[in-house]
Amino acid sequence: VKNVLQGGNYESFAYDDADPDVDARFFTTEDSSNGALIRYTPHPNAFASNNSYDILKTDNGSYEYLVLNSIDGTFSWSPKLVDGESSANALFPNSEGIDVHNRILNFVSKVNKELFTLDLAAGTWSVTTTLSGAFDLQPDQLGRIIGDSEILYFCEDGGGNADIHGRDSTGQYFTIVRGDGY
């Protein structure tokens, strides 16, 4: 993204090109206790040049910050950084891996060891723990490797025995690769 404000400990990036209101939106996590999750929407002119590099460097795009409502399970996007930082500090400090697929955005809070799932179309969110079986360290990067895969893959961080895990569409976690001995 052309300018993610003054810099920071930015961790991961994902995009949503299925939003019916815009051509594409981009999301960035920040590994900080109050690191806001950023949504960047390029200015419509960014898509006019047919040069894909213009999408992230054209002026007049908008930055918005995720605000979770813990009372009713909804979320909003605020133009105020302080709103996003407050929400992150209270609910999802040190966000890391992020993935968007079919208008579902997943990201992790490594400190809280939680997976957040946002339904971008419905404006709702949920959270589940990543502490499951052998998944006992901090969740780090995540993503779907193959197209419409039903499996969300997680890398684990925070120790000498960091593994790679998966989570299927029923919410079950399983270990794919054990990291002991590496």
Side-chain angles (χ1 to χ4, degrees):
V1 178
K2 183 177 181 184
N3 176 12
V4 186
L5 301 177
Q6 296 87 5
N9 195 19
Y10 299 107
E11 185 71 28
S12 296
F13 168 88
Y15 70 95
D16 176 18
D17 63 357
D19 189 320
D21 298 327
V22 296
D23 289 315
R25 286 198 163 121
F26 301 87
F27 303 89
T28 305
T29 60
E30 184 176 1
D31 184 5
S32 174
S33 62
N34 68 340
L37 194 151
I38 301 167
R39 178 174 80 170
Y40 173 71
T41 305
H43 188 276
N45 291 343
F47 300 94
S49 74
N50 293 322
N51 180 348
S52 58
Y53 294 105
D54 287 343
I55 295 171
L56 295 178
K57 66 178 188 157
T58 301
D59 291 330
N60 300 318
S62 65
Y63 293 92
E64 297 171 291
Y65 308 93
L66 178 63
V67 177
L68 298 179
N69 182 328
S70 61
I71 296 181
D72 67 4
T74 62
F75 66 88
S76 60
W77 298 97
S78 172
K80 297 177 184 174
L81 176 59
V82 67
D83 293 343
E85 289 174 336
S86 177
S87 187
N89 190 57
L91 297 168
F92 55 93
N94 299 87
S95 59
E96 293 226 1
I98 189 168
D99 179 75
V100 177
H101 181 70
N102 290 334
R103 309 274 358 260
I104 301 296
L105 184 149
N106 290 291
F107 72 96
V108 295
S109 167
K110 75 175 184 182
V111 170
N112 292 351
K113 298 179 181 178
E114 293 174 325
L115 170 68
F116 288 81
T117 301
L118 279 59
D119 184 325
L120 297 172
T124 58
W125 67 278
S126 62
V127 61
T128 56
T129 182
T130 60
L131 290 175
S132 175
F135 200 154
D136 57 357
L137 297 175
Q138 296 175 330
D140 194 16
Q141 298 305 310
L142 61 92
R144 294 178 197 282
I145 296 176
I146 304 172
D148 288 333
S149 172
E150 292 284 326
I151 300 171
L152 186 62
Y153 296 90
F154 295 80
C155 294
E156 194 174 33
D157 192 16
N161 293 325
D163 303 327
I164 298 173
H165 302 280
R167 181 175 182 255
D168 66 20
S169 60
T170 69
Q172 295 296 313
Y173 288 95
F174 52 92
T175 301
I176 297 169
V177 176
R178 290 181 46 103
D180 51 339
Y182 291 102

